[in-house]
Amino acid sequence: MIAGSDLAKFLSTDPGIDVVNFTFDGFAIAPSDYKKNIADLLTAGRIGVALGASLEPGTGAQYLPDRNLVLLPVGFSLTSSSDISLLVHEMTHAVLDYREAGWVSQNFGEAIAYIAEALFRSHYGLSPLSRVALRLSAESVAGRIRGGVTTVASV
């Protein structure tokens, strides 16, 4: 059984989180968002975890901001590169929620989450989880960030 404290430990200690550091259209994402803010909320139970949740087909995990709850599928594992990549993606939505970024559109939030996921995966030399256009675009942006550009704008 995976608890919030397990997710918090992962976010606090995994070196891949250190590369998730960028600004997209003026919205900054930093490792401390995950290592401190979200980890603390998970540890305190202010973000809940539903393991074995029923998810829509094609959905690997989901964060529900109205319930402060992350839904993880049956078989979720903190040793699976796919699972932890999806966790980083969903915890990026939690960062937006924590920051009370209600002005952020769903598309903007997804763009930020996909970039965070791509940066995390790139730390381990992993390619995008799928060939979906948004993931490929995020990989391109992540490449620019890895190249030293820390502020990017949407097109």
Side-chain angles (χ1 to χ4, degrees):
M1 180 86 167
I2 293 178
S5 59
D6 299 316
L7 301 184
K9 182 178 178 184
F10 163 76
L11 292 172
S12 298
T13 61
D14 191 282
I17 297 297
D18 293 329
V19 302
V20 183
N21 192 13
F22 64 98
T23 301
F24 182 74
D25 274 355
F27 197 94
I29 297 289
S32 61
D33 290 319
Y34 306 91
K35 290 177 166 282
K36 175 77 176 115
N37 302 333
I38 300 306
D40 286 353
L41 292 170
L42 284 161
T43 300
R46 292 186 49 210
I47 293 177
V49 178
L51 185 62
S54 177
L55 298 165
E56 293 183 27
T59 302
Q62 187 174 14
Y63 176 72
L64 304 176
D66 57 327
R67 296 178 55 200
N68 294 321
L69 181 66
V70 61
L71 306 177
L72 302 173
V74 171
F76 177 88
S77 171
L78 287 170
T79 61
S80 162
S81 63
S82 296
D83 287 353
I84 60 176
S85 298
L86 291 171
L87 178 65
V88 170
H89 179 109
E90 295 307 324
M91 292 299 88
T92 303
H93 291 298
V95 168
L96 298 173
D97 185 35
Y98 172 76
R99 298 250 202 95
E100 298 180 347
W103 59 271
V104 171
S105 72
Q106 181 176 355
N107 288 342
F108 187 85
E110 285 300 326
I112 289 173
Y114 277 112
I115 293 167
E117 175 188 312
L119 284 167
F120 177 81
R121 289 184 67 76
S122 72
H123 177 77
Y124 294 105
L126 300 169
S127 59
L129 281 170
S130 70
R131 306 298 295 168
V132 172
L134 192 50
R135 274 201 169 100
L136 296 176
S137 295
E139 175 60 29
S140 175
V141 171
R144 290 175 46 212
I145 294 168
R146 287 189 309 271
V149 175
T150 57
T151 302
V152 292
S154 60
V155 288

